[in-house]
């Protein structure tokens, strides 16, 4: 059974930093991971994503401030968030496209989400 466990998040002042982590457990053949966020009254949006080959994608609004990275041994993805702004306030959810061992196709998994609140 594949599971995603998130950690990090919380309340910080504008200009501060936070680091989110998401660990995937289970028997995994390959995994692409990323972070999405949803602010109150807004649609969920992709924040950043990283492939098995460590290619990265960022939303324009976070480029230069957020960095996504991964530990392939631990099947863990990290999101380092710097220079945080009040508009970064949202529920951040980990997403993974995982091909479990013994499968030939990937399946989507989501974490439960973690609240990030930036005070002005």
């Amino acid at each position: 059974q594949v599971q995603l466990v998130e950690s990090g998040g919380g309340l910080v002042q504008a200009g501060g930093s936070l680091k989110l982590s998401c660990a995937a457990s289970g028997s995994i053949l390959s995994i692409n991971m990323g972070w999405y966020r949803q602010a109150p009254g807004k649609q969920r949006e992709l924040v950043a994503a990283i492939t098995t080959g460590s290619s990265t994608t960022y939303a324009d609004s976070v480029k230069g401030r957020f960095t996504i990275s991964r530990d392939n041994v631990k099947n863990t993805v990290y999101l380092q968030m710097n220079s945080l702004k009040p508009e970064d306030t949202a529920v951040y959810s980990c997403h993974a496209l995982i091909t479990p061992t013994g499968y030939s196709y990937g399946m989507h998994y989501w974490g439960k989400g973690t609240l990030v609140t930036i005070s002005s």
Side-chain angles (χ1 to χ4, degrees):
Q1 183 74 16
V2 174
Q3 288 186 324
L4 299 181
V5 178
E6 300 155 331
S7 60
L11 171 65
V12 297
Q13 289 188 331
S17 298
L18 281 173
K19 186 173 184 178
L20 306 180
S21 300
C22 174
S25 61
S27 183
I28 296 170
L29 184 61
S30 67
I31 181 170
N32 292 305
M33 304 182 80
W35 289 95
Y36 286 73
R37 68 184 181 186
Q38 186 167 21
K42 295 188 177 181
Q43 289 189 331
R44 184 169 61 190
E45 63 173 349
L46 174 67
V47 177
I50 186 166
T51 68
T52 53
S54 295
S55 294
T56 57
T57 300
Y58 294 95
D60 288 342
S61 60
V62 306
K63 284 181 181 177
R65 299 189 299 121
F66 291 12
T67 302
I68 191 169
S69 61
R70 63 186 292 158
D71 182 327
N72 290 329
V73 174
K74 297 180 179 179
N75 283 327
T76 298
V77 64
Y78 306 96
L79 185 67
Q80 178 66 47
M81 304 184 291
N82 299 327
S83 302
L84 285 161
K85 304 175 181 180
E87 51 264 43
D88 293 318
T89 295
V91 174
Y92 286 70
S93 298
C94 177
H95 168 265
L97 178 62
I98 295 173
T99 301
T101 302
Y103 286 75
S104 60
Y105 55 89
M107 290 178 275
H108 295 274
Y109 294 87
W110 289 91
K112 294 182 178 180
T114 183
L115 179 62
V116 172
T117 304
I118 312 303
S119 63
S120 57

